[in-house]
Amino acid sequence: MRVTQNTTANLVLNNLQIIRQRTEELEQQASTGVKVSAPGDDPVTAQQVLHLKALISAGDQYSRNISNGTAWLSMSESAMSELGNVISRAKELGVAMSSDINNPDSQSAAVKELTQLRDELIQLGNTQLNGKYIFGGFKNDTAPFDPAGNYTGTDDAINIEVDRGTQVQINYSGGQLIRGGTPPGSSGTDIIGTINNMITALGAGNTAGVRTELGNLDNAMGQVLATRTDLGARLNHLTAAGNIIDDRKLSLTKVISDKQDVDFAQVISDLTKQQTAYQAAMAASAKVSQMSLLDYLK
Amino acid sequence: MSISSILDIAKSGLTAQRLALEVTSENITNVNTPGYSKQTTIFQTAPTTLERGFPLGSGVQVAEIQRAYNDFLQQQLTGQSATEGFSSTVLASMNQAQQLFNDLTTDGLGKSLQDFFSAWQDLTSNPQGQPERQAVLASAQQLVDQFQRINGSLHDLKSEANQSLEGIVSDVNNYTSQIASLNDQIKLIEIQGGRANELRDQRDQLVRELSGKVGITYIEQTDGTLNVSLSLGQPLVIGKQAATLSLQPDPANSSYYKVLATSPGGNTTTDITSIAGGIDNRQGEMGGALQVRDTMVNGFLSDLDELAYTLATEVNNVHTTGFGLNSSTGLSFFTPPATMAGYSGSGGIAVNITQTADVAAASTDPATGGTGNNVNAQTIASIYDKVLTTSGGQLTLGSFYNSLVGKVGVAVQDATRTQATSDSTIKQLDNLRESNSGVSLDEELANLVKYQTAYQGAAKMITVSSDMLDTILGLIR
């Protein structure tokens, strides 16, 4: 191959250009910290990274749903625990009043307390979270229990999505929990009805009537406990789903980092190599292009 | 043989060496002229005559001033220029398109899509909440804005490509008319013998630049003229006649330009829009601009339209069955799409409802079924995860968008690679051409010494023969 000043100059220029280009790429990687900063850098990786990022942000949304659901269920849990206390107290009163040895004064005191307990039941049924009645089903912005204890809410399930396609019900119908279904007592124990019956019986001095309701109170306790067990299971489900999302987020972040992030040690050492190469190329080209026959002609 | 023939021979030497020195100085001064080919003086002996039984020469003469030229390299350079012109045009446009879809570093349409469905998820937790409903409307508006922004920018890309045709056409016309006039001059010069080296260099350079604009082929005629035509046939230069390209808005293609060519010297006008850049318009800047305008960007646009259309249809289907807080029902959430084409642009997708109360989160009338009903909101929120039948196969909306980003990425990568390859090929070919036809100063300086010495020798011959004449004349005295 015939070599002229221009072929040498072009060669030097090209080589310097190539080194500059590589250096710039490496500098960009070092300053941004990512290998793939535009889809064109690596379309397949870019697509995967976008998909993984979408999974992470979906996970964040599910986490928010879960924390909302946990708040609802925790609130229900504390209301139900209080419900248990009310039923226990009613049971104590019922047992005490079921014998004939009580005088009318203590009976009327018991009636008063039972009435109070019933109001407390209604109040618990009207428990609110962020202004919403958690036992009201879909009709949750009006109190689901009227002062007489009639349930006006719905039995609908309020579901939230805790993971792709997985729904968890976060509410319990007050009608089923406290009134044993609609109409009352149709599918369970009507707790308010039981206490009403006790009040009526005691008011009439009918201790036998009070005794017959004791069994219902046991059933009521069973009903609340069973619901609490179910609630515990749901809370566990939420916690587990939350943990899975957190774990997945961690591993997804790691996968994204593997795909997208640069190995700094590698980049910096490559960068140093390029700089050395650049210096060498410049020094060499400066030497080569200095020489010409012109220097020796007079 | 006489003394005067020595003088004659010496004179032919002076003339020839001086010419060689002229060529050398032409070479040296054009060392950096683009497209210049090194010229070499070819000497030959002058005709011999019989002198007292001996055939003796009558000096030296210049047979030819030869141009170092390799037609194969020129053909390759012309072809690569076409690829280079095409790929750099496409790359510039694709890089712009890439910015629109770069969800890796900025929040783009993909994020807006997620945010929109996230807002619906939040609404399921609090279906009667005003802030949640407001968030649904706001994120929907943002999503619509993103669609329209990207759609608008893609149309801008098409317009830019269309606009660039004006410059390309005027360059092409300029080059073809220059080639035609050079054809004429070369023919006139070469008819008298000799080669029009510099003019041929200029013409070769113009052919290369023309090829960067449109894909061409060329054939040299016996009279030295060059016939140039588009690689798919339409003649651009025949002899001293050049074709004229012009642009005309095409109503059939959104009033973008169609490229017309008036044949050289004739007046028939042909629409060359589909052939200006060779097969599939893959050659030259014009091919690149047409390809970007009529094919590549349209592919992205139709995907974007499909995404917007599918989103709106899916959301509307569920939304119309639901109920707003004010018992409104049957409302479309997005403007119902009439056709898919162009739906992602302005005048297409828009948020159809304005009141927060109209957001249909409930599956039954809240007036009777309760305002806490989140069933519809949930169904809409789950559309994001729903696998839908799209032109790209069974995909979710998110994956469909990601695959669109992937397509843009592949287009950029493809253009980058083609550009890098043709760029380095051109550099190599250029270097080969330089090696073959370029001027080497060392070589020319050596020639300078050579010719100068020969010139001195010839001059010395004249001195000697002059002395000889003096001697003869001195005899008479």
Side-chain angles (χ1 to χ4, degrees):
Chain A
M1 177 158 161
R2 187 170 157 267
V3 177
T4 72
Q5 277 77 12
N6 277 342
T7 54
T8 316
N10 287 347
L11 197 73
V12 167
L13 214 62
N14 281 355
N15 287 343
L16 289 180
Q17 193 84 57
I18 289 169
I19 298 175
R20 287 295 302 169
Q21 247 171 35
R22 280 194 204 136
T23 313
E24 200 190 278
E25 268 170 37
L26 288 169
E27 271 166 355
Q28 201 197 344
Q29 289 190 1
S31 61
T32 57
V34 290
K35 281 184 284 199
V36 187
S37 54
D41 293 346
D42 184 346
V44 176
T45 307
Q47 216 171 320
Q48 286 170 339
V49 167
L50 286 184
H51 179 65
L52 295 170
K53 280 187 171 173
L55 285 183
I56 289 184
S57 68
D60 289 344
Q61 181 60 43
Y62 293 137
S63 293
R64 267 161 70 174
N65 289 356
I66 289 171
S67 87
N68 275 332
T70 311
W72 271 66
L73 288 177
S74 306
M75 199 65 183
S76 305
E77 155 80 355
S78 68
M80 284 182 206
S81 143
E82 203 49 47
L83 216 56
N85 293 343
V86 171
I87 294 169
S88 299
R89 180 62 193 147
K91 178 83 188 294
E92 276 173 36
L93 280 174
V95 169
M97 293 302 141
S98 60
S99 57
D100 296 331
I101 57 166
N102 293 300
N103 60 33
D105 284 350
S106 61
Q107 276 181 348
S108 71
V111 166
K112 267 192 196 134
E113 191 174 348
L114 279 172
T115 315
Q116 238 165 40
L117 287 176
R118 191 195 63 192
D119 290 346
E120 208 173 315
L121 274 180
I122 294 170
Q123 211 179 337
L124 284 171
N126 288 338
T127 303
Q128 276 179 293
L129 177 70
N130 296 333
K132 281 191 286 185
Y133 295 91
I134 57 174
F135 292 117
F138 282 166
K139 288 187 180 170
N140 57 12
D141 40 355
T142 49
F145 289 95
D146 67 8
N150 295 316
Y151 182 65
T152 56
T154 73
D155 293 338
D156 297 300
I158 295 177
N159 291 315
I160 54 153
E161 202 168 0
V162 295
D163 205 340
R164 198 168 168 167
T166 311
Q167 311 262 344
V168 170
Q169 186 180 345
I170 55 164
N171 73 322
Y172 288 93
S173 154
Q176 272 160 8
L177 179 68
I178 298 174
R179 297 305 307 258
T182 316
S186 59
S187 61
T189 312
D190 179 2
I191 305 175
I192 289 179
T194 307
I195 293 181
N196 275 342
N197 288 347
M198 285 169 73
I199 293 169
T200 320
L202 265 185
N206 174 8
T207 48
V210 175
R211 249 195 314 274
T212 51
E213 295 299 332
L214 287 180
N216 282 340
L217 279 180
D218 285 340
N219 291 344
M221 198 58 163
Q223 180 168 305
V224 171
L225 281 177
T227 316
R228 281 183 73 181
T229 313
D230 182 63
L231 186 145
R234 285 188 199 174
L235 264 178
N236 277 345
H237 189 162
L238 289 187
T239 316
N243 288 342
I244 290 171
I245 287 165
D246 288 346
D247 283 355
R248 194 167 52 204
K249 184 173 178 177
L250 213 63
S251 58
L252 286 176
T253 314
K254 194 176 170 316
V255 174
I256 290 182
S257 160
D258 281 350
K259 285 191 182 297
Q260 204 183 12
D261 292 358
V262 294
D263 176 355
F264 274 106
Q266 183 76 47
V267 168
I268 300 297
S269 90
D270 284 355
L271 206 54
T272 320
K273 273 187 225 161
Q274 290 297 336
Q275 273 160 359
T276 316
Y278 192 58
Q279 278 168 357
M282 296 240 273
S285 57
K287 278 251 152 50
V288 166
S289 45
Q290 270 172 6
M291 291 194 291
S292 162
L293 190 55
L294 213 47
D295 300 339
Y296 303 96
L297 292 176
K298 295 232 172 63
Chain B
M1 191 69 186
S2 61
I3 293 174
S4 67
S5 58
I6 302 179
L7 268 174
D8 282 343
I9 292 173
K11 195 189 81 188
S12 80
L14 279 181
T15 321
Q17 303 306 330
R18 199 193 62 224
L19 190 63
L21 280 169
E22 273 175 35
V23 171
T24 305
S25 73
E26 172 83 354
N27 280 341
I28 291 176
T29 46
N30 279 304
V31 64
N32 289 325
T33 307
Y36 181 80
S37 304
K38 177 193 69 158
Q39 297 180 18
T40 318
T41 321
I42 309 288
F43 295 109
Q44 70 179 25
T45 49
T48 50
T49 51
L50 217 57
E51 190 80 23
R52 283 176 221 136
F54 298 107
L56 280 182
S58 59
V60 66
Q61 67 184 32
V62 173
E64 194 187 354
I65 297 170
Q66 213 171 50
R67 182 169 73 119
Y69 175 74
N70 184 336
D71 185 52
F72 179 65
L73 276 178
Q74 170 70 11
Q75 293 269 11
Q76 280 190 311
L77 272 169
T78 310
Q80 276 304 323
S81 297
T83 316
E84 221 264 334
F86 170 81
S87 55
S88 51
T89 308
V90 170
L91 181 60
S93 293
M94 288 304 105
N95 269 330
Q96 286 186 53
Q98 175 172 250
Q99 295 313 312
L100 302 173
F101 293 99
N102 197 355
D103 279 51
L104 286 169
T105 49
T106 48
D107 288 345
L109 180 58
K111 182 75 168 52
S112 296
L113 203 60
Q114 281 167 18
D115 286 349
F116 173 68
F117 286 106
S118 274
W120 281 100
Q121 285 277 7
D122 283 338
L123 188 64
T124 63
S125 302
N126 188 14
Q128 57 270 77
Q130 280 304 314
E132 282 83 357
R133 289 171 168 266
Q134 198 60 54
V136 164
L137 288 184
S139 65
Q141 189 54 50
Q142 205 198 346
L143 181 61
V144 165
D145 289 347
Q146 285 278 12
F147 269 118
Q148 298 189 344
R149 179 184 67 87
I150 295 180
N151 181 291
S153 303
L154 286 176
H155 275 106
D156 287 349
L157 265 184
K158 288 179 71 172
S159 305
E160 266 171 46
N162 189 50
Q163 212 74 40
S164 73
L165 289 175
E166 293 170 5
I168 298 172
V169 160
S170 89
D171 280 350
V172 168
N173 285 339
N174 185 13
Y175 293 146
T176 49
S177 63
Q178 283 191 54
I179 291 173
S181 100
L182 280 170
N183 268 347
D184 195 28
Q185 294 176 45
I186 289 170
K187 186 178 161 190
L188 283 178
I189 290 174
E190 294 191 349
I191 231 165
Q192 303 159 17
R195 308 271 284 176
N197 288 337
E198 278 82 1
L199 295 179
R200 280 174 173 267
D201 282 345
Q202 281 177 33
R203 192 176 63 184
D204 285 346
Q205 185 68 15
L206 282 169
V207 165
R208 259 184 79 179
E209 287 181 9
L210 176 63
S211 165
K213 305 289 171 187
V214 285
I216 55 161
T217 56
Y218 61 88
I219 299 169
E220 189 172 333
Q221 306 295 302
T222 43
D223 61 358
T225 61
L226 203 64
N227 283 356
V228 184
S229 54
L230 287 180
S231 48
L232 286 180
Q234 170 73 23
L236 290 178
V237 180
I238 298 176
K240 58 177 180 178
Q241 311 270 24
T244 317
L245 300 195
S246 57
L247 295 170
Q248 193 183 320
D250 182 4
N253 186 13
S254 323
S255 284
Y256 287 130
Y257 290 129
K258 57 181 173 188
V259 188
L260 302 176
T262 311
S263 60
N267 46 15
T268 50
T269 302
T270 327
D271 184 351
I272 56 163
T273 315
S274 56
I275 59 166
I279 295 161
D280 294 337
N281 272 339
R282 295 192 71 86
Q283 288 179 326
E285 286 176 24
M286 186 176 274
L290 290 171
Q291 179 86 354
V292 165
R293 188 192 77 181
D294 294 340
T295 312
M296 301 184 108
V297 175
N298 282 352
F300 305 151
L301 271 174
S302 73
D303 273 7
L304 195 68
D305 284 341
E306 186 179 344
L307 182 64
Y309 179 88
T310 315
L311 169 80
T313 314
E314 289 290 328
V315 171
N316 283 350
N317 281 348
V318 180
H319 197 267
T320 43
T321 64
F323 292 83
L325 270 185
N326 52 6
S327 303
S328 61
T329 185
L331 292 175
S332 290
F333 187 82
F334 291 110
T335 312
T339 50
M340 194 187 283
Y343 185 62
S344 61
S346 63
I349 192 168
V351 182
N352 194 38
I353 58 176
T354 47
Q355 291 180 312
T356 51
D358 284 336
V359 174
S363 60
T364 54
D365 189 350
T368 52
T371 52
N373 189 331
N374 66 355
V375 175
N376 222 42
Q378 200 140 46
T379 318
I380 291 180
S382 68
I383 290 175
Y384 186 65
D385 290 325
K386 194 171 159 191
V387 178
L388 304 163
T389 306
T390 69
S391 62
Q394 300 286 317
L395 294 171
T396 64
L397 288 171
S399 324
F400 184 79
Y401 175 71
N402 289 348
S403 77
L404 173 53
V405 174
K407 272 187 199 172
V408 178
V410 169
V412 172
Q413 198 184 38
D414 191 34
T416 314
R417 279 186 189 151
T418 325
Q419 207 269 342
T421 314
S422 66
D423 200 46
S424 73
T425 314
I426 282 207
K427 276 182 180 152
Q428 279 177 17
L429 287 172
D430 256 336
N431 231 20
L432 274 177
R433 191 200 163 275
E434 182 62 39
S435 167
N436 187 58
S437 313
V439 176
S440 160
L441 279 179
D442 289 345
E443 212 173 271
E444 298 306 323
L445 288 170
N447 281 343
L448 196 65
V449 174
K450 201 167 82 180
Y451 297 140
Q452 195 187 357
T453 317
Y455 187 86
Q456 281 167 354
K460 186 71 185 169
M461 282 306 301
I462 291 182
T463 328
V464 168
S465 53
S466 155
D467 285 354
M468 286 163 78
L469 273 175
D470 281 352
T471 312
I472 302 254
L473 287 174
L475 285 177
I476 302 164
R477 200 164 8 113

